[in-house]
Amino acid sequence: MPTKSLRQNALQARRQMSIAQRENASDEICKRVVASREFYASSLVGCYLPMHDEVDTRAIIESAWRANKRIFVPILRNNREMFFCEVHPETELQLNHFGVWEPTRGFLIAPQKLAIAITPTVAFERDKNRIGMGGGYYDRCFSFLRYRTLWFRPKLIGVAFQCQEVEEISPNPWDIRLYRLISDKN
């Protein structure tokens, strides 16, 4: 099935979840991320701020702060670049032109310095290939991982609801594979 169809089907499945189902599944996913050895061993954590009907990652961010970890969230630029900016509980956020929450200011970090990056995922499969929203921001930002034979950093941890799993994704040469996928069922 073409990527566009897989993306549309996975988005539709996610949108058909009730608010309560999404909240419960997000809670389970966040618990699994926070309990993971990758999260435990990380002091510099990349994590997205949720939008629309994505997995709500705020519990991961709050857990990281309680554990004295530093949290960095993506900021997007018009030239299709993505950077990571540190956030604190008091950080002022604003919606960018994509409808994504971003800090208004803060310390930027090179993505190579992150230990893990919690990655939004529209569709996924067992081989840890993912489909995102289609802008390619994560693939471009983490393109340096494509040329490594071992995972150094960051470890990309995709999060998604089980209903977003698909049978097979045919990755493009520029797609960056996940290190791990965490859903509400695995």
Side-chain angles (χ1 to χ4, degrees):
M1 187 178 286
T3 299
K4 185 175 180 181
S5 297
L6 290 172
R7 181 181 293 113
Q8 289 171 341
N9 291 347
L11 285 171
Q12 185 62 27
R14 187 169 82 184
R15 290 178 184 134
Q16 289 178 344
M17 296 174 72
S18 70
I19 292 171
Q21 287 172 319
R22 262 197 305 276
E23 287 174 355
N24 291 335
S26 288
D27 288 346
E28 183 60 31
I29 292 166
C30 289
K31 286 177 189 171
R32 290 173 186 215
V33 169
V34 171
S36 72
R37 66 185 181 282
E38 294 89 359
F39 182 83
Y40 180 78
S42 300
S43 59
L44 302 177
V45 176
C47 189
Y48 69 93
L49 295 170
M51 62 182 240
H52 306 299
D53 48 11
E54 291 180 321
V55 172
D56 187 341
T57 58
R58 291 176 292 181
I60 296 169
I61 293 168
E62 290 167 7
S63 293
W65 286 332
R66 283 193 301 275
N68 294 317
K69 297 176 187 293
R70 293 173 68 191
I71 287 284
F72 297 84
V73 300
I75 56 173
L76 308 177
R77 294 298 171 246
N78 285 334
N79 57 358
R80 299 175 62 95
E81 286 186 295
M82 184 170 79
F83 301 96
F84 282 85
C85 184
E86 188 167 15
V87 291
H88 302 280
E90 68 280 354
T91 298
E92 185 180 324
L93 302 173
Q94 67 182 12
L95 278 175
N96 69 15
H97 59 284
F98 296 109
V100 175
W101 289 104
E102 294 181 341
T104 56
R105 62 187 148 282
F107 176 76
L108 297 180
I109 190 170
Q112 296 91 331
K113 294 192 184 260
L114 296 170
I116 61 173
I118 309 304
T119 307
T121 303
V122 172
F124 69 95
E125 41 113 81
R126 295 262 176 229
D127 287 338
K128 297 185 214 103
N129 290 306
R130 77 180 264 284
I131 295 174
M133 289 299 289
Y137 285 92
Y138 279 81
D139 292 320
R140 277 190 300 282
C141 182
F142 296 110
S143 63
F144 59 89
L145 292 173
R146 185 178 315 119
Y147 306 107
R148 299 205 179 170
T149 55
L150 299 174
W151 284 89
F152 295 104
R153 57 175 48 199
K155 290 180 169 81
L156 302 184
I157 299 175
V159 292
F161 303 115
Q162 188 62 43
C163 66
Q164 296 171 261
E165 185 174 9
V166 298
E167 189 69 30
E168 183 181 4
I169 295 172
S170 298
N172 294 305
W174 57 84
D175 289 339
I176 303 301
R177 201 164 156 191
L178 297 171
Y179 174 79
R180 182 174 181 191
L181 187 290
I182 296 178
S183 78
D184 48 312
K185 301 293 185 211
N186 66 358

